[in-house]
């Protein structure tokens, strides 16, 4: 027989086909092993959201990464590491986990409902083979044994000469409730993504905020949210107060900071005062305002070459050194005449002079505030080119090369104290440091899934305790010729610890003279 003939006679495995592959994929996706792997991936995928600054929480730190390392920032952005929880790959894990949990819960629920209606099985003929076995004292009939086991909250079935009892069904109830709670948690997160919104805004002392789309620095609405969905509240930042550790090893560490607000819950409501703290958000009609950061906004006045005030106001600065709140500031003056002006500055909250003549900040509080001019430039800043620019960057690299440096390095003046000014060369104007304000960054969030998520988390905790603490166990009684044999076993693997004492109490309750034992 040739090889070809042998292959023809050998039965070939049947091909799965499209339906077969779909069944295989569904069974694999809805298996408990896959659900656990997806749950692990879900937790693993959340780690970058904690390690990398998120645009929705710390936009100032994201801007600082773009300023210090634009190449790294570009790669982070390419893989959605600044927006982990809205990334496509995070959504894919989320949806697969959701489907997998549904596929796990539905068949298990059906099996559990059938189990609830099933009577305890017939008692084995030889109870001595069970893990727990004893002989009850005294005489006992089937009806009395069943009655006493019911008083111990067992589900009971009887037959000729035997009693079968079982309890601990709530263990599987806990397992199912835990999975249902996880589903509820995922649904709550989905509700927040669809019907909620988040936004970030930076507010300087003396300025206000109205809850409108145009007022946000960054606005992230759910797909079912419109501009009319926003609650019409507003507030003004009257004062920002921060306190720091003055001495010891932790000198300069933040102790507390508070934003004092004047709040209007609606356009018609009167203003009320509110102290906004890190762990005490402002809540209005389900919308919460969180204080997530703060920094300095020194006030500068720029007079151009024609003697006109071309710029006058606070400039929010990016924090360059958190321990001392040394901050980098950018001032753009596109309306200056005869040439546009731009300044790179460094704000020092507590300026001290080192032995080499340089100045640094020694403390984050305003003990000796000074503004150091890092560079002053004239020329076209490119702000009218139509291309978007960052307020924390003076100009793109190609534009910076065309600007004329007016004061840099050795030509830069000493740091300016409040009230001091610096005259630009070629009579192009001057810059004056007139005061210091502080800014705060806020995250404003409306999440309708917040309370359902809390309830689902609480249910998951209770269900997990139920599944870990409750044991599924069976007790059998056989009565023959006046002898009462009792046997017991646990149905859950590894949960037999502690059943020995309970079994001894059951035997005692079945013994004569102990009818009142519960």
């Amino acid at each position: 027989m040739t090889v070809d003939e042998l292959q023809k006679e050998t039965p070939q495995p049947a091909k799965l086909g499209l339906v077969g592959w779909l069944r295989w994929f569904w069974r694999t996706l809805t298996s408990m092993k896959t659900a656990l792997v997806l749950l692990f991936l879900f937790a693993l995928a959340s780690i970058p959201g904690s390690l990398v600054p998120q645009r929705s929480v710390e936009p100032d730190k994201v801007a600082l990464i773009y300023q210090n390392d634009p190449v790294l920032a570009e790669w982070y952005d390419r893989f959605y590491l600044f927006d982990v929880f809205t990334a496509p790959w995070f959504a894919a894990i989320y949806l697969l986990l959701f489907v997998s949990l549904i596929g796990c819960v539905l068949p298990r629920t059906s099996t559990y409902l059938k189990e609830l209606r099933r009577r305890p099985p017939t008692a084995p003929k030889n109870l001595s083979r069970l893990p727990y076995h004893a002989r009850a004292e005294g005489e006992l009939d089937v009806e009395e044994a069943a009655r006493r086991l019911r008083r111990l909250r067992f589900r009971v079935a009887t037959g000729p000469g035997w009693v079968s009892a079982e309890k601990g069904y709530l263990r599987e109830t806990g397992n199912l409730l835990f999975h249902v709670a996880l589903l509820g948690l995922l649904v709550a997160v989905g509700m927040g993504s669809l019907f909620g919104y988040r936004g970030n805004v930076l507010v300087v002392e003396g300025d206000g905020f109205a809850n409108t789309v145009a007022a946000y620095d960054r606005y992230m609405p759910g797909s079912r949210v419109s501009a009319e969905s926003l609650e019409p509240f507003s507030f003004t930042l009257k004062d920002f107060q921060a306190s720091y550790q003055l001495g010891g090893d932790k000198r300069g560490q933040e102790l507390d900071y508070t934003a004092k607000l004047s709040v209007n819950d609606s356009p018609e409501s009167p203003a009320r005062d509110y102290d906004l703290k890190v762990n005490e958000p402002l809540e209005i009609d389900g919308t919460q305002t969180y204080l997530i950061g703060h920094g300095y906004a020194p006030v500068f006045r720029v007079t151009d070459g024609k003697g006109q005030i071309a710029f006058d106001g606070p400039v929010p600065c990016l924090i360059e050194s958190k321990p001392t709140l040394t901050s980098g500031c950018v001032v753009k003056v596109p309306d200056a005449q005869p040439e546009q002006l731009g300044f790179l500055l460094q704000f020092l909250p507590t300026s001290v002079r080192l032995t080499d003549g340089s100045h640094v900040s020694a403390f984050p509080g305003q003990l000796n505030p000074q503004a150091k001019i890092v560079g002053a430039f004239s020329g076209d800043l490119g702000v009218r080119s139509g291309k978007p620019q960052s307020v924390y960057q003076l100009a793109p690299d190609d534009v910076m090369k065309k600007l004329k440096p007016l004061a840099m390095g050795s030509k830069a003046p000493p740091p300016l104290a409040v009230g001091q000014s610096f005259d630009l060369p070629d009579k192009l104007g001057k810059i004056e440091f007139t005061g210091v304000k502080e800014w705060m960054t806020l995250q404003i969030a409306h999440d309708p899934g917040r309370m359902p998520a809390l309830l689902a988390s609480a249910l998951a905790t209770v269900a997990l305790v139920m599944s870990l603490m409750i044991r599924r166990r069976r007790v059998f009684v056989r009565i023959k010729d006046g002898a009462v044999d009792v046997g017991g076993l646990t149905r859950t693997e590894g949960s037999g610890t502690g059943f020995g004492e309970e079994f001894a109490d059951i035997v005692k309750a079945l013994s004569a003279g102990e009818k009142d034992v519960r």
Side-chain angles (χ1 to χ4, degrees):
M1 182 178 293
T2 64
V3 175
D4 293 338
E5 293 174 344
L6 182 62
Q7 290 179 346
K8 290 180 180 179
E9 292 186 1
T10 303
Q12 300 296 322
K15 295 183 179 180
L16 286 177
L18 178 61
V19 176
W21 279 110
L22 289 176
R23 287 178 179 173
W24 174 85
F25 176 77
W26 176 252
R27 289 173 182 172
T28 303
L29 179 61
T30 57
S31 67
M32 182 59 66
K33 183 182 296 185
T34 302
L36 291 174
V37 170
L38 288 172
L39 193 61
F40 172 74
L41 289 177
F42 189 73
L44 192 65
S46 303
I47 294 177
S50 301
L51 299 180
V52 180
Q54 300 295 290
R55 280 196 178 96
S56 60
V57 180
E58 299 174 310
D60 52 330
K61 291 186 178 180
V62 175
L64 191 60
I65 293 177
Y66 268 100
Q67 180 178 329
N68 295 336
D69 196 340
V71 176
L72 177 63
E74 183 179 348
W75 279 102
Y76 276 178
D77 215 3
R78 187 171 298 176
F79 291 101
Y80 298 90
L81 295 184
F82 290 135
D83 304 281
V84 167
F85 303 107
T86 57
W89 49 266
F90 190 86
I93 298 174
Y94 169 87
L95 292 175
L96 286 174
L97 178 60
F98 187 80
V99 174
S100 180
L101 286 175
I102 291 178
C104 288
V105 169
L106 291 181
R108 289 186 65 177
T109 301
S110 177
T111 303
Y112 178 59
L113 293 176
K114 293 178 182 178
E115 186 75 13
L116 288 177
R117 295 192 296 268
R118 187 178 300 163
R119 287 162 49 91
T122 303
K125 292 183 178 180
N126 189 357
L127 300 184
S128 62
R129 294 181 178 179
L130 298 179
Y132 297 91
H133 172 259
R135 176 161 290 183
E137 299 177 358
E139 297 183 358
L140 191 69
D141 57 20
V142 171
E143 290 73 15
E144 180 62 23
R147 187 183 68 82
R148 295 185 184 184
L149 287 173
R150 288 192 183 97
R151 292 169 63 184
L152 295 175
R153 302 185 182 279
F154 278 90
R155 179 182 295 181
V156 176
T158 60
W162 59 267
V163 180
S164 179
E166 187 170 3
K167 69 188 304 186
Y169 291 89
L170 288 179
R171 180 185 181 89
E172 182 62 19
T173 303
N175 284 330
L176 288 175
L177 285 179
F178 178 74
H179 288 82
V180 170
L182 288 181
L183 278 174
L185 190 60
L186 293 177
V187 170
V189 173
M191 286 176 56
S193 299
L194 289 174
F195 302 102
Y197 63 86
R198 289 181 298 164
N200 298 95
V201 64
L202 184 148
V203 182
V204 180
E205 280 180 315
D207 292 344
F209 169 80
N211 193 30
T212 60
V213 175
Y216 283 96
D217 297 329
R218 179 174 171 82
Y219 176 65
M220 296 160 287
S223 58
R224 301 298 181 184
V225 177
S226 64
E228 292 75 20
S229 304
L230 277 63
E231 290 70 24
F233 67 87
S234 61
F235 57 79
T236 300
L237 176 58
K238 299 191 299 182
D239 187 27
F240 192 93
Q241 299 175 352
S243 58
Y244 305 93
Q245 181 75 30
L246 295 178
D249 296 337
K250 298 182 179 180
R251 181 176 181 269
Q253 179 175 316
E254 290 178 341
L255 298 177
D256 188 28
Y257 51 91
T258 304
K260 295 188 174 296
L261 306 179
S262 177
V263 182
N264 293 90
D265 294 342
S266 67
E268 298 80 18
S269 63
R272 61 183 176 94
D273 293 333
Y274 186 84
D275 290 347
L276 182 65
K277 293 179 176 290
V278 174
N279 295 319
E280 299 176 13
L282 170 67
E283 182 167 358
I284 300 174
D285 295 332
T287 300
Q288 293 161 320
T289 301
Y290 297 89
L291 177 60
I292 58 176
H294 71 101
Y296 288 106
V299 183
F300 297 99
R301 181 187 297 123
V302 178
T303 305
D304 64 14
K306 293 186 176 182
Q308 299 176 346
I309 297 178
F311 179 88
D312 188 5
V315 179
C317 303
L318 283 179
I319 298 173
E320 296 178 347
S321 175
K322 187 67 175 178
T324 62
L325 287 187
T326 300
S327 305
C329 318
V330 173
V331 178
K332 301 180 184 183
V333 194
D335 297 328
Q337 295 293 334
E339 294 186 52
Q340 297 181 12
L341 300 175
F343 301 88
L344 296 176
L345 304 110
Q346 190 176 56
F347 176 70
L348 309 174
T350 302
S351 179
V352 294
R353 189 173 186 273
L354 302 180
T355 54
D356 60 358
S358 62
H359 289 77
V360 297
S361 179
F363 190 75
Q366 299 182 54
L367 300 182
N368 182 30
Q370 290 186 343
K372 181 166 61 176
I373 297 178
V374 178
F377 303 86
S378 64
D380 186 3
L381 300 176
V383 295
R384 297 188 176 94
S385 64
K387 297 180 180 180
Q389 290 189 14
S390 171
V391 296
Y392 301 106
Q393 184 181 17
L394 184 59
D397 292 340
D398 56 336
V399 177
M400 284 293 297
K401 295 177 181 178
K402 301 177 183 179
L403 297 179
K404 178 183 177 181
L406 301 176
M408 290 183 65
S410 59
K411 294 183 179 181
L416 304 178
V418 175
Q420 292 181 339
S421 62
F422 170 67
D423 292 326
L424 298 174
D426 302 330
K427 298 181 179 181
L428 291 177
K430 69 175 181 178
I431 181 172
E432 183 179 1
F433 180 27
T434 61
V436 181
K437 293 185 176 182
E438 295 194 52
W439 56 257
M440 65 175 180
T441 49
L442 305 172
Q443 183 184 67
I444 299 172
H446 178 74
D447 186 2
R450 183 170 59 94
M451 188 55 65
L454 176 61
L455 295 177
S457 300
L459 178 61
T461 303
V462 173
L464 188 60
V465 172
M466 290 172 59
S467 63
L468 293 177
M469 301 298 294
I470 298 176
R471 298 183 302 272
R472 187 83 176 269
R473 58 266 196 212
R474 287 176 176 171
V475 174
F476 305 100
V477 179
R478 277 201 171 270
I479 303 173
K480 185 177 181 180
D481 300 331
V484 181
D485 288 331
V486 185
L489 77 162
T490 57
R491 291 196 59 194
T492 307
E493 184 179 353
S495 63
T497 304
F499 181 63
E501 296 180 0
E502 183 183 5
F503 182 75
D505 293 336
I506 294 171
V507 174
K508 185 178 180 181
L510 293 172
S511 299
E514 299 291 344
K515 296 182 180 181
D516 292 331
V517 176
R518 282 177 166 79

